Amino acid sequence: MQTRVLPLEPNPAPAVALAAELLRAGEVAAFPTETVYGLGANGLNEEAVAKIFAAKGRPSDNPLILHIAKTEEIFPLVSEFPEKARKLAEAFWPGPLTLVLPKSAAVPSIVTAGLDTVAVRFPKSDIARALISSCGFPIAAPSANASGRPSPTRAEHVLADLDGKIPLILDGGACEVGLESTVLTLTPKPTLLRPGLVTREMIEGVLNEPVAVHAAVLAEANGDAPSPGMRHTHYAPSAEVYVVSGETLEAMAEKIRRRCAEFERIGRKCAIFATEQTQTFYFSKNYVIMGNRNNPESICARLFALLRGAEGAGFDVIFIEAVKAEGAGLAFMNRALRSAGFKFI
Ligand code: TXA
Ligand code: MG
């Protein structure tokens, strides 16, 4: 299969129309959202959804998110829409929040991997919304990477992973958020399954009650992953990745420099993912600036692209600086730790 990459600039309409035509015909297509690129198919068509799993090499026990373009489009997909969900939808939709609710009979079990709940998201991206609206059905879409690779934040990343396996990629440039949406379940109580840029603190502000964080967010899941699919390795780059913390920024940088020197002595090429606040500590080392610590969103936005870049540049070992696991920093730490296979120094 030949994979076409169509630019959305200057006029997105023809490219979006072509993607909608493919999805209506039961095919898949990759498209940008504000978080990461998604690989979409008709979420009510089992055969079409099966093509997503095949193209990504995704294990069939990892459920997908259904994307809608109006809040009321959730009603046919769920058997309950509690008051808390209504409040959250009002506060954060459209945007990077996915709600997990009891599913209705309309949702095929291939989408939910046999679970009795379904994940639903109303994205903010104009392109994603135009595509969903023009299809007239919910679009099932996981991140458009090959299973086990970092989520794609540019069309080039999708092409690198899925060239020849999907017919179309809509190229909308870099995604604004750069990390996948927050996944929140409401039963039995509000619990973050995957942190994102709609933060725990923001959700608590709207619900006026504490929100739990699933144990698998900052530690390796054993038997108790929030969905069977979350037990699988995520964001595993080919380089060896470590997340490094310290009492002070200086102490953290000192640890990184020391480990770096040890690896370099045995001929391994090391990259350091630093921040604006720490760059001066790494003179003469290979470092990149992820963003500003006082603005964790800026760090989130670049993490996945930098992981892919460091691999492409042939680095064997990557040291990622830890940040405070609160606000958007929790989302960052979750993805950094997963890419490191939870190797934390
Ligand atoms: O930002 C995003 O959410 C992107 C864009 C494309 O919208 N999509 C995305 O999808 O990240 P995916 O499939 O890569 O991640 C969906 C996550 C998985 O970890 C899956 O296990 C979880 O949501 N999930 C889906 N349905 C679930 C359910 N019923 N219960 C618990 N977790 C669920
Ligand atoms: Mg994914």
Side-chain angles (χ1 to χ4, degrees):
M1 183 186 302
Q2 195 174 340
T3 303
R4 284 179 76 183
V5 181
L6 288 183
L8 289 160
E9 295 290 330
N11 173 16
V16 171
L18 180 63
E21 200 178 297
L22 280 166
L23 297 191
R24 276 195 294 268
E27 294 301 325
V28 299
F31 61 97
T33 80
E34 74 277 22
T35 57
V36 300
Y37 277 73
L39 179 62
N42 179 347
L44 303 179
N45 174 337
E46 286 182 40
E47 270 172 56
V49 173
K51 290 179 186 171
I52 293 178
F53 285 91
K56 283 182 56 103
R58 183 174 175 111
S60 60
D61 64 358
N62 197 1
L64 306 179
I65 297 172
L66 289 181
H67 295 70
I68 57 175
K70 282 196 190 106
T71 296
E72 58 264 34
E73 289 172 3
I74 194 176
F75 300 140
L77 307 175
V78 297
S79 63
E80 280 167 47
F81 191 66
E83 177 62 11
K84 286 177 193 173
R86 192 193 58 75
K87 280 191 184 160
L88 291 170
E90 202 165 275
F92 301 117
W93 279 0
L97 173 68
T98 296
L99 293 175
V100 174
L101 290 164
K103 84 182 228 5
S104 75
V107 179
S109 70
I110 185 172
V111 169
T112 63
L115 299 176
D116 52 14
T117 53
V118 61
V120 183
R121 161 161 133 79
F122 175 178
K124 188 167 180 190
S125 146
D126 290 339
I127 297 298
R129 289 160 68 176
L131 181 61
I132 302 161
S133 297
S134 102
C135 285
F137 45 71
I139 296 182
S143 48
N145 50 286
S147 193
R149 303 268 309 139
S151 290
T153 58
R154 309 190 66 102
E156 295 89 315
H157 303 159
V158 181
L159 190 66
D161 282 12
L162 302 179
D163 192 13
K165 296 188 168 145
I166 61 174
L168 178 66
I169 302 170
L170 299 184
D171 184 353
C175 299
E176 185 191 329
V177 172
L179 294 187
E180 312 87 339
S181 62
T182 303
V183 179
L184 181 82
T185 184
L186 291 172
T187 44
K189 57 178 182 167
T191 305
L192 265 193
L193 304 183
R194 180 173 75 183
L197 280 247
V198 171
T199 65
R200 176 194 203 177
E201 294 82 355
M202 287 159 72
I203 296 168
E204 287 176 335
V206 168
L207 294 182
N208 240 317
E209 68 174 296
V211 168
V213 177
H214 196 284
V217 164
L218 291 177
E220 198 154 10
N222 19 57
D224 62 343
S227 98
M230 285 192 187
R231 277 199 303 270
H232 303 294
T233 323
H234 273 61
Y235 327 121
S238 54
E240 195 172 337
V241 181
Y242 294 90
V243 179
V244 187
S245 67
E247 289 278 305
T248 61
L249 294 181
E250 250 175 303
M252 174 187 66
E254 169 56 26
K255 271 195 214 172
I256 292 178
R257 284 196 309 257
R258 206 172 55 234
R259 297 279 176 146
C260 216
E262 283 166 19
F263 275 112
E264 281 166 356
R265 236 173 279 133
I266 55 170
R268 315 277 303 274
K269 218 175 136 192
C270 299
I272 300 167
F273 286 11
T275 46
E276 282 174 21
Q277 283 82 355
T278 57
Q279 51 181 310
T280 53
F281 295 132
Y282 302 118
F283 176 70
S284 88
K285 298 269 178 218
N286 292 308
Y287 68 87
V288 288
I289 312 269
M290 297 185 287
N292 187 312
R293 287 179 168 270
N294 300 328
N295 173 11
E297 289 82 1
S298 68
I299 302 179
C300 292
R302 297 195 65 206
L303 177 66
F304 287 151
L306 289 174
L307 281 170
R308 283 180 180 262
E311 271 183 292
F315 286 99
D316 306 302
V317 187
I318 301 169
F319 296 98
I320 305 179
E321 289 186 355
V323 305
K324 270 209 204 88
E326 59 188 37
L330 181 64
F332 174 82
M333 286 299 284
N334 167 258
R335 304 315 192 281
L337 284 166
R338 279 174 165 269
S339 70
F342 293 94
K343 290 194 294 299
F344 185 68
I345 303 176

